[in-house]
Amino acid sequence: MAEPDPSAPALFDIGDLEPAPPTAPTPLVTPVFMDLEDPRYAYMFGFLQADGHLAPGTGRKGRLSVEINVRDVAILREFQQLTPYNSSITERVRSTNFAEQHHSATWTLCDLEARTRIDGLGLPYGRKSKRITPPRVEFSRRDYLRGIIDADGSIGHTGQGLPFVSLTTASAAVGAYLCRYAKVVTGAARQIGRNARDGVYTKEAAVQLAEHLYYPGCLSLARKRTAATSLASWERPATMRVRPPGRRWKPWEDRVLLSLDDDTASAAELGRSKASCSVRIWRLKTGQVPRPEDVPPGT
C-alpha cells in the first residue's frame, strides 16, 4: 500500500464545507483516474470502500468487484465511464437468505495499475470492513461521504414520518468521521458504534445533512437522491417540542456519582434526572466512559 503523503490532511480534518460543483471532462483536459479532489472520483471511492471488494490472484492477477441490486445498475455504468481501463458489467439471478430470486449487477475491473491505485488510496485486499478509513490525501469530503452513505447507509422517513439519515459500518474511523463532519454541518452531535445501525440524524439535522450531501448535479444513486430531496418538505409539527442540547458530564460530577454510588442521591445533589445518573454510573463502572482520574486536566 502506498505511503501517505506527509502534507495530506489529518484523518479527521473536516475541510471546506462549501458545495463542490459537479465537474465534467472537457475536450482539452483528461481527468486523472481516482483523483479524489474530483467530486466524482471521491464519491466513487467512498462507494467502493463500502461496497467494493479487492481480491488477489496468482501472479499479477486479481480483481476489483462491486455487486449491487440491478435496480442501481446505472451507478455501475457511471463507474465504468469514469474508468479508463477495460471493465465489465454482468448480471445474475440467485437465491439468497433474503429472497428466493435476487437479481444483481456486478462491475468488475481487473487491470493491475488501476487496482494498485485504488489499493494505495485505502481500499485493502480481502476483508476490509473494519480497516477502511477516510483517505489520507486531499479529497472532496462531502462527495466521499455521500458514496459511503449510498453504499451502506439509508435515507428516508421513519414509520412516524420523521426524516432520517443512517449509516451501518464496521469501521470505527469512517463512523467517527461522518459524525464529526455532520456535527459541523448540522450542529448535532451523534455517535455510531461498530455494526450498529442507528438513526444517526433525524428531524432538522437529517434534512440539513441530506441537503448538504445531495446537492444538485451530484453523482449518486437515483433512488437515494430522490429520498434526500423528499426530506426537504418536512416541517416540525407545532406540537413537537424541540429537545434542548445535551448537558455534558463534568469530571467533578463523575466524582460525586462514584462517591455517592446512588442514583437517587446523585440526582438530588447534581440536579439531574435519576435515569441519567443511573446510566452514567453504569458507564463509569463498566469503562464505557473514562473515570474522572483518567480525564486530562482542563477537560
Side-chain angles (χ1 to χ4, degrees), residues 33 62-64 83 85-87 107-111 114-115 118:
F33 179 63
R63 69 181 183 277
L64 167 67
T83 303
Y85 304 93
N86 290 330
S87 64
W107 176 62
T108 303
L109 172 66
C110 296
D111 188 272
R115 287 187 285 115
I118 292 170

Side-chain angles (χ1 to χ4, degrees), residues 144-256:
Y144 167 77
L145 286 173
R146 187 176 63 257
I148 292 286
I149 290 175
D150 265 8
D152 274 352
S154 298
I155 300 176
H157 292 85
T158 67
Q160 293 74 40
L162 301 178
F164 76 92
V165 177
S166 72
L167 175 66
T168 302
T169 181
S171 166
V174 170
Y177 188 80
L178 170 65
C179 292
R180 293 190 183 205
Y181 186 93
K183 183 179 180 182
V184 175
V185 174
T186 69
R190 297 289 188 275
Q191 290 185 337
I192 185 169
R194 280 187 176 178
N195 296 315
R197 180 173 184 159
D198 302 328
V200 182
Y201 292 89
T202 58
K203 305 184 182 73
E204 288 88 355
V207 173
Q208 285 180 274
L209 184 58
E211 182 180 22
H212 176 80
L213 294 176
Y214 291 82
Y215 58 86
C218 70
L219 182 62
S220 59
L221 291 179
R223 60 186 174 86
K224 290 197 176 178
R225 184 169 62 249
T226 299
T229 302
S230 73
L231 300 191
S233 62
W234 183 82
E235 293 184 3
R236 176 182 289 270
T239 56
M240 182 182 292
R241 70 182 185 90
V242 178
R243 182 180 178 183
R247 175 180 159 191
R248 291 180 175 274
W249 286 93
K250 297 179 174 59
W252 70 267
E253 292 180 299
D254 287 340
R255 285 191 284 272
V256 171

Side-chain angles (χ1 to χ4, degrees), residues 40-155:
R40 300 164 304 166
Y41 284 125
Y43 168 86
M44 180 177 172
F45 184 70
F47 198 102
L48 293 179
Q49 269 195 325
D51 238 11
H53 179 67
L54 264 177
T58 57
R60 296 166 59 88
K61 295 180 180 179
R63 69 181 183 277
L64 167 67
S65 61
V66 183
E67 183 175 9
I68 59 177
N69 192 295
V70 74
R71 65 182 173 178
D72 296 322
V73 68
I75 202 67
L76 299 184
R77 296 193 181 107
E78 293 283 355
F79 293 169
Q80 192 172 42
Q81 291 182 5
L82 286 169
T83 303
Y85 304 93
N86 290 330
S87 64
S88 64
I89 297 175
T90 57
E91 297 182 21
R92 66 171 174 167
V93 178
R94 60 191 174 93
S95 176
T96 70
N97 293 333
F98 306 101
E100 290 187 6
Q101 286 193 327
H102 174 65
H103 191 178
S104 65
T106 302
W107 176 62
T108 303
L109 172 66
C110 296
D111 188 272
L112 177 61
E113 182 177 80
R115 287 187 285 115
T116 300
R117 170 68 173 161
I118 292 170
D119 175 43
L121 288 171
L123 176 57
Y125 280 86
R127 297 179 64 87
K128 45 77 181 176
S129 59
K130 294 183 180 181
R131 295 189 287 152
I132 58 172
T133 69
R136 298 303 299 272
V137 298
E138 285 295 341
F139 67 105
S140 181
R141 291 159 176 79
R142 65 163 53 182
D143 299 283
Y144 167 77
L145 286 173
R146 187 176 63 257
I148 292 286
I149 290 175
D150 265 8
D152 274 352
S154 298
I155 300 176

